[in-house]
Amino acid sequence: MPALTPPAILDVTVMPPAEAYDFDYFRARVDTELLSRSIALRVFRMPLLAVPVGATRRGGCFDVDNLAIALAVRDALTAFSGFPDLRITWLCTPRSSYAVEWGERPPVTWPDESERLAFYGHRRPALPHAPSSAVSSCSPTAS
């Protein structure tokens, strides 16, 4: 039987915001000043953006797959301003997972999508001009 080895210490790398895979998504949706104070967090191989609270953004969230990652992300965010009241929560939807949240606590349910967007300081991105017969939809998935 092979010897059991303890799990490796999880390392979260802090990177400039523009290095995040989802930077363009947020650039189209959040205040420029908040974007400049954001940080990219690389867990394993993919850096994702953590956007601080401020201006119209009341809360933020960084979804992760397990508790060890959540603890590492929370610890990395403690060194930066704009991430008050860091906490780890369990999310049941859209899929069961942990999340690191900061700022105000979001409501359990949202009256409508515009309320959710406003809480996270999102604005709908400008859509390119399309012919009047085209139908487009926007369904933001990140917070």
Side-chain angles (χ1 to χ4, degrees), residues 10-16 39-44 46-48 72 76:
L10 185 62
D11 188 30
V12 173
T13 305
V14 175
M15 302 170 68
I39 58 171
L41 297 175
R42 186 179 70 205
V43 179
F44 304 115
M46 187 180 344
L48 296 172

Side-chain angles (χ1 to χ4, degrees), residues 61-124:
C61 181
F62 195 97
D63 297 350
V64 296
D65 287 331
N66 65 55
L67 184 55
I69 297 170
L71 291 167
V73 167
R74 183 201 60 194
D75 291 348
L77 289 174
T78 60
F80 297 91
S81 63
F83 300 92
D85 191 24
L86 284 164
R87 59 199 175 271
I88 296 172
T89 60
W90 177 253
L91 302 175
C92 295
T93 59
R95 63 181 178 85
S96 296
S97 65
Y98 287 96
V100 178
E101 292 181 337
W102 54 89
E104 292 180 33
R105 292 183 186 273
V108 176
T109 59
W110 299 99
D112 59 40
E113 182 66 3
S114 62
E115 291 289 327
R116 187 182 78 78
L117 291 172
F119 180 86
Y120 290 109
H122 287 211
R123 62 181 180 275
R124 294 203 185 268

